[in-house]
């Protein structure tokens, strides 16, 4: 998608602080961190949100979720972490390219706001 900021990050048209990358996904630091560690994990191909995924995306998304523990380990999050997906208007999704937030190095709160 030509006007999508995360697609541009995925192809390095927009620079980011990359933590992990493979052929299917990229993980980079959030520009406005909400925790000492705040990384965004995205599929390289454009999909708008969790509400837009289809059955054919399930292998890729399973791989992406599976990789999160490796990324957490790379970042030293052995004491735990939080994975967040904001979806749609009520979920307060601001960037319309599916992404998971990985937050760590502080004690989280529950319930979320
Ligand atoms: P959302 O609110 O959609 O769940 O999360 C979008 C996230 O993307 C926000 O936490 C925001 O700080 C981050 N973000 C927006 N634009 C950029 C950017 O250009 N670079 C990086 N690294 N993060 C961004
Ligand atoms: Zn995109």
């Amino acid at each position: 998608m030509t006007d999508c900021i995360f697609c541009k990050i995925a192809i390095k048209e927009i620079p980011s602080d990359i933590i992990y990358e493979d052929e299917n996904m990229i993980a980079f630091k959030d520009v406005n961190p909400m925790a000492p560690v705040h990384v965004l994990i995205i599929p390289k191909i454009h999909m708008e949100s969790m509400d837009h995924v289809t059955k054919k995306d399930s292998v890729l998304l399973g791989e992406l979720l599976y990789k999160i523990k490796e990324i957490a380990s790379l970042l030293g999050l052995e004491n735990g972490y939080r994975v967040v997906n904001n979806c749609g208007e009520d979920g307060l999704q601001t960037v319309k390219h599916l992404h998971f937030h990985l937050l760590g190095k502080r004690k989280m709160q529950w319930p979320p706001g």
Side-chain angles (χ1 to χ4, degrees), residues 1 4-8 44-47 96-98:
M1 242 206 156
C4 171
I5 195 164
F6 283 1
C7 281
K8 288 180 178 169
K44 284 186 171 176
I45 59 166
H46 184 84
M47 33 187 108
K96 303 292 190 288
H97 179 127
L98 177 68

Side-chain angles (χ1 to χ4, degrees), residues 21-60:
E21 180 177 12
D22 63 28
E23 64 274 30
N24 295 318
M25 70 191 79
I26 186 163
F28 54 95
K29 288 186 184 174
D30 195 295
V31 77
N32 183 25
M34 294 294 149
V37 168
H38 187 172
V39 166
L40 300 170
I41 298 140
I42 68 168
K44 284 186 171 176
I45 59 166
H46 184 84
M47 33 187 108
E48 185 170 327
S49 78
M50 281 299 277
D51 207 42
H52 292 75
V53 301
T54 66
K55 178 90 174 154
K56 71 175 170 41
D57 302 318
S58 58
V59 173
L60 169 60

